[in-house]
Amino acid sequence: IVTFHHHFKDNNGDLCLVMEYCSGGNLRNKLKNKHPLNQIVDWLKQLTSVLHFVHQHGIVHHDIKPENILFDSDNTIKLGDFGVYNTNSGTWPYMAPEPMDTKDARVDVYALGITLLEMWAGYNPFFGIGYRDSLQAKILHDFIPKNLPGWQQEILLKATHPKPELSFQTMADFQEAVEAHHVPFIFDKRQIEAHVLAEKSENML
C-alpha cells in the first residue's frame, strides 16, 4: 500500500497529504506494452494478497483500476487512492452491475477482474460506450474474449460474474484460481441458496 507520511494545511487552508513517491508510474502506463504471462500472474498475486489484507481490516477500496495501481523505483506494486473506500462510489467501467453493500469485498473482486481482463486482452470492453449499453453487456456477461486461453476465460468469467454470489467470494479464492490456472468447482450450499433467492426476487420484480 502506498505509504502515508504526514499531512499539513497550506496558506489557503487546503489539506495536503505527503505520501510515498511511486516513480515507476501506474499500471495504465505499463499496459501500453505487452508483458509476459508470468509477470501478469505475479502482479495479480501481489494485488490479491494486499487486497485480502485490506479486506480483513474492514476496508473495501471501491476504485480498483490501472490508474490506482502504482509501482515504486524497484518495480514493486503499490495500491493507492483510498479516497472513496467503503462508499458507493467508483469508476463505472470497473463497477459491478449489481449494487452491493459498501463493505462487500466482492466489489473489489469485480473491479480487479476487469483490470485483469485489460492486462490479458489489452483493452477494456466498457470504454467508449454509454451507461445503458455497458450495463446490458455486464448483465449479459458476454464480453470475455473467446481468443484467450480457456483457463484465463474461466477465471475472468468467475471474477466478473454479474451475480455476486457466483463470483469469487474472497481475494484468497481469486488468488488460488490464478495460481492454479483453474477455477476449483466448490459447491457451497450458501452460495447456491443465495443464487436461487436472487432468481426468485428477479421473477417477482
Side-chain angles (χ1 to χ4, degrees):
I1 300 170
V2 175
T3 303
F4 167 75
H5 295 297
H6 64 91
H7 68 277
F8 65 91
K9 286 189 176 181
D10 64 14
N11 294 332
N12 296 321
D14 294 324
L15 181 65
C16 300
L17 307 181
V18 180
M19 306 188 74
E20 174 185 6
Y21 175 55
C22 295
S23 60
N26 60 32
L27 181 60
R28 173 69 65 209
N29 293 329
K30 289 187 180 293
L31 289 180
K32 294 176 182 177
N33 302 310
K34 285 189 176 183
H35 296 276
L37 177 62
N38 62 339
Q39 176 67 82
I40 294 175
V41 168
D42 185 57
W43 287 343
L44 251 292
K45 286 164 61 177
Q46 293 180 60
L47 287 167
T48 50
S49 179
V50 70
L51 281 166
H52 181 66
F53 172 82
V54 167
H55 293 162
Q56 286 183 316
H57 286 74
I59 296 172
V60 179
H61 190 284
H62 275 271
D63 202 17
I64 300 297
K65 58 184 179 181
E67 286 80 0
N68 291 336
I69 298 169
L70 309 172
F71 296 85
D72 66 12
S73 58
D74 296 325
N75 212 34
T76 301
I77 215 161
K78 298 279 184 173
L79 186 61
D81 197 352
F82 284 77
V84 297
Y85 81 94
N86 291 1
T87 69
N88 282 318
S89 301
T91 303
W92 171 244
Y94 300 89
M95 293 172 68
E98 287 195 11
M100 288 184 259
D101 184 86
T102 56
K103 289 194 175 183
D104 192 330
R106 294 172 298 184
V107 170
D108 288 346
V109 168
Y110 190 94
L112 187 59
I114 299 298
T115 301
L116 178 58
L117 169 59
E118 283 193 67
M119 286 193 272
W120 276 340
Y123 68 94
N124 186 312
F126 308 117
F127 283 175
I129 62 175
Y131 173 81
R132 289 181 180 275
D133 290 338
S134 60
L135 177 61
Q136 183 179 20
K138 290 181 179 184
I139 293 172
L140 289 175
H141 202 210
D142 60 356
F143 53 84
I144 304 301
K146 301 296 190 296
N147 62 333
L148 291 175
W151 69 272
Q152 294 182 8
Q153 293 184 49
E154 190 180 348
I155 289 172
L156 291 173
L157 284 167
K158 183 77 171 175
T160 63
H161 201 288
K163 300 289 186 186
E165 61 273 10
L166 296 181
S167 176
F168 293 116
Q169 298 303 290
T170 67
M171 283 293 170
D173 295 339
F174 199 162
Q175 182 174 354
E176 181 183 345
V178 171
E179 290 179 334
H181 291 193
H182 175 66
V183 176
F185 293 99
I186 300 175
F187 293 97
D188 188 326
K189 182 181 177 183
R190 292 172 301 175
Q191 291 184 36
I192 294 171
E193 289 176 348
H195 180 55
V196 171
L197 288 172
E199 287 187 336
K200 286 182 179 180
S201 298
E202 279 190 359
N203 291 333
M204 291 177 70
L205 287 172

